[in-house]
């Protein structure tokens, strides 16, 4: 069993899938096609843009990240849904726990500067290519 994940409820990993630019371009194309505008979300201090179940993100989750997370946690997982959010400079994601479908969650930094994510009482620094696997329903987290 993975001690770090079990002990802390989260684990920082290097993911670097190699197609981060494609994820960004697909997100931007979905935003353009759907004419999505930044909107306020109760969890984020400034307007952000988000998409549930975007096709590429869902495929990446199912075929790429789920096997990695299973290996890192020694758990067998069932992918539930994907969610992509673009934060803007100065955005703060308020500390929260996730909905029941997010027992095991992954946040993946695909662009931008280093960013702190609070996991309970600890702070993890993420940079492009880093991901944090965490117990989404148990660990309070925010940026």
């Amino acid at each position: 069993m993975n001690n770090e994940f079990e002990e802390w409820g989260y684990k920082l990993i290097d993911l670097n899938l190699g197609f981060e630019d494609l994820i960004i371009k697909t997100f931007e194309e979905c935003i353009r096609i759907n004419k999505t505008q930044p909107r306020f979300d109760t969890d984020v201090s400034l307007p952000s843009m988000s998409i549930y179940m975007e096709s590429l993100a869902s495929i990446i989750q199912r075929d790429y990240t789920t096997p990695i997370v299973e290996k890192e946690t020694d758990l067998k997982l069932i992918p539930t849904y994907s969610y992509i959010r673009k934060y803007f400079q100065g955005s703060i994601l308020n500390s929260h726990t996730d909905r029941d479908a997010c027992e095991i969650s992954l946040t993946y930094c695909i662009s931008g500067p280093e960013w702190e994510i609070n996991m309970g009482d600890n702070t993890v620094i993420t940079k492009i290519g880093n991901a944090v696997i965490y117990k989404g329903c148990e660990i309070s987290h925010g940026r």
Side-chain angles (χ1 to χ4, degrees), residues 18-143:
F19 37 80
E20 290 75 15
D21 286 344
L22 182 58
I23 297 167
I24 293 166
K25 287 178 183 177
T26 302
F27 177 85
E28 289 172 350
E29 185 67 5
C30 287
I31 296 297
R32 186 188 67 75
I33 289 170
N34 296 314
K35 298 181 173 117
T36 303
Q37 296 296 313
R39 64 178 177 78
F40 279 102
D41 182 318
T42 56
D43 291 331
V44 183
S45 64
L46 298 174
S48 62
M49 294 204 268
S50 57
I51 303 173
Y52 281 101
M53 298 305 293
E54 185 277 316
S55 298
L56 180 62
S58 296
I59 291 166
I60 291 168
Q61 175 196 23
R62 183 190 67 221
D63 295 347
Y64 295 91
T65 61
T66 295
I68 292 167
V69 173
E70 287 178 334
K71 182 179 177 189
E72 293 289 339
T73 63
D74 291 329
L75 297 171
K76 180 65 180 155
L77 304 176
I78 299 169
T80 52
Y81 72 92
S82 61
Y83 181 77
I84 302 172
R85 178 182 284 149
K86 179 179 182 177
Y87 297 98
F88 294 95
Q89 188 170 352
S91 292
I92 296 170
L93 175 63
N94 298 321
S95 288
H96 65 283
T97 55
D98 293 336
R99 64 182 78 179
D100 291 344
C102 303
E103 292 177 76
I104 307 300
S105 295
L106 176 121
T107 184
Y108 180 30
C109 181
I110 63 171
S111 70
E114 291 183 353
W115 208 9
E116 296 179 352
I117 183 165
N118 300 313
M119 289 286 164
D121 294 331
N122 299 315
T123 300
V124 178
I125 306 295
T126 61
K127 59 183 178 180
I128 295 173
N130 287 159
V132 181
I133 303 165
Y134 58 99
K135 297 179 180 181
C137 301
E138 296 176 32
I139 303 295
S140 179
H141 54 280
R143 292 183 176 270

